[in-house]
Amino acid sequence: MSKSETLSLLDDLVAKARKAGADAADAVSVDTVSLSVGVRLGDLERMERSEGDDIGLRVLIGKRQAMVSSSDRSPEALTQLVDRAVSMARAVPEDPYAGLADPSELATELLDLQSCDPIEPSAETLLDMVRRAEDAARAVPGVTNSEGAEAGWGRSGVAFVASNGFAFEYAVTSGSVSAAVLAGDAETGMERDYDYTSAVFMSDLRSPEDVGHEAGHRAVRRLGARKVKTCKVPVVFDPRVSRGLVGSLIGAINGAGVARGTSFLKDKMGSQIFAPGIRIVDDPHRLRGMRSRPCDGEGVATKRLNVVEDGVLTTWLLDCRSARQLGLKSTGHASRGTTSPPSPSASNFYMEAGAVTVAEMIGDITDGFYVTELFGQGVNGVTGDYSRGAAGFWIEGGEIVYPVSEITVAGNLKDMFRNLVPANDLVLRYGVDCPTLRIDGLTIAGR
C-alpha cells in the first residue's frame, strides 16, 4: 500500500474503534523487509529474505486499555480486530496512567533525518561483501579457521494515527557486515574474535576488508592468553565494551523501571552520579543516526537532551504512562510496536569524549587490565552490582604486555559511574556510543 493508503486505513480503523465504543484509540502499521547472507570458508551457508506487514490497534475505554494486532488487512479481519480490542478493553482492569498523549505535547514538525537509504542492495552485492570480509580475515597470518561472515540489510516503514488528531509516517533502514574467525590450533590453544560495522546507509559502512582484517587481527592478538591473580587494579574498557556501561545507565533511568522502584538510580534525580565534567547525551535528531526519530511512538516531540550534565543526572527517559506515574511530562522517548503499548527507550545515546588520550590513560598504570570482551549478564539493575566474565590484555608499566582470559570484573555501577574517566576517542557510529573508559579500583577475580 502507498503511504497515503496506509494512513487512510489506520484513520478508518481508529474511527471504527471510536464508533464501537472506544473513548480514544490509536493504530500503528509496521511493514518490514530484510535480506541477509552468510558464508563460511568461502561457501554460501545462508541467504534469506523476509517481508512482514502488521497492524496494531490500541483502544481505551475510560482508564481501561487493550491492544490487538493482525497481519491481515482485509475489511473482515479489521472489523474483527476492532471488535476484539473493544471487548478486551471492557474486560481488563483499569490502568490509572493509561492514555494518549496530550495534544499540547505532540510534534508540530517532522524533520528529515536521512533515516532511510533509498538504495536496496541485491543479494549478489551482500554476497560479494561477506566474501571480501571473510577473505580478508582468513588472510591475516595466524588465523586458522572461520566462523563465517554475514551481511544484512533491512527496511522498516512505520505509520501511526491517533484519535487525538496526530498522524505520521516514516521509514528507516540499516545495513551491517560482520566476520568472526579463530586463530591458533588445538595444541597451542585457540582464540576467537570478531568485528562488525553497521549504518543507516550502506555507503557509510566500513569496507568489508577493514572489518575482516580487524577481526583476524583481534583473534591473533589473543593467542597465548594467561590468567592473573585476584586483585584490585585500574580497568580500561575498550569502546567496544564501554558502550555496555552506558547501556546500563539507559536501563537504570528508564521511566518504567523508576516508576516501579526497580532501578538502583530511582532516587538519584538531580544527584551527582558521575564525576564533574561528564556529559551524556540523548540525540534523536542526528542525521543518519541508527536510532534517530522525528517524533516518538506516541507522536510526542523529540529533542536533544543532556541526560547527565557536569556529572549530574538531569532526567529520566519517559513515555506518557511513566511520566504520569511519576508526576512529570513525557520526554519523547516512547517506543512502539504492534503488539504492546508504548514503553520508554533511548535514541542515539552517547557519553561525550574526555580530554586524555588512550595512551595517557594507560601510561601511568603500574598493573591493570584492558578489557576487549565481556561475557554473561551479571548486571543487577536493582542494586547496581556488576560482575561479568572478561577477556583482554594485561597492562604493566603503562604498556599492554600480554593477553588475558578467564577472569571476572566486579564492582558496583554506582561506584563505577562516579569513578570513571573518558578518553578523547569517541566515535559516533552506533545507537549507543562511548569513548574508552578507565575505572580504578575494580576487582579482578582470577586464579
Side-chain angles (χ1 to χ4, degrees), residues 250 280-285 293 303-307 317 331-333 345-350:
I250 293 174
I280 299 177
V281 178
D282 182 273
D283 183 7
H285 295 165
R293 49 196 181 196
K303 62 180 180 180
R304 173 187 163 119
L305 289 176
N306 292 341
V307 174
L317 304 183
T331 57
H333 284 92
S345 71
S347 64
N348 301 301
F349 201 89
Y350 64 95

Side-chain angles (χ1 to χ4, degrees), residues 124-148:
E124 291 75 17
T125 297
L126 296 186
L127 182 58
D128 174 67
M129 295 174 76
V130 292
R131 283 182 168 152
R132 287 159 54 196
E134 190 187 42
D135 287 347
R138 294 172 65 193
V140 175
V143 170
T144 54
N145 207 338
S146 171
E147 289 190 350

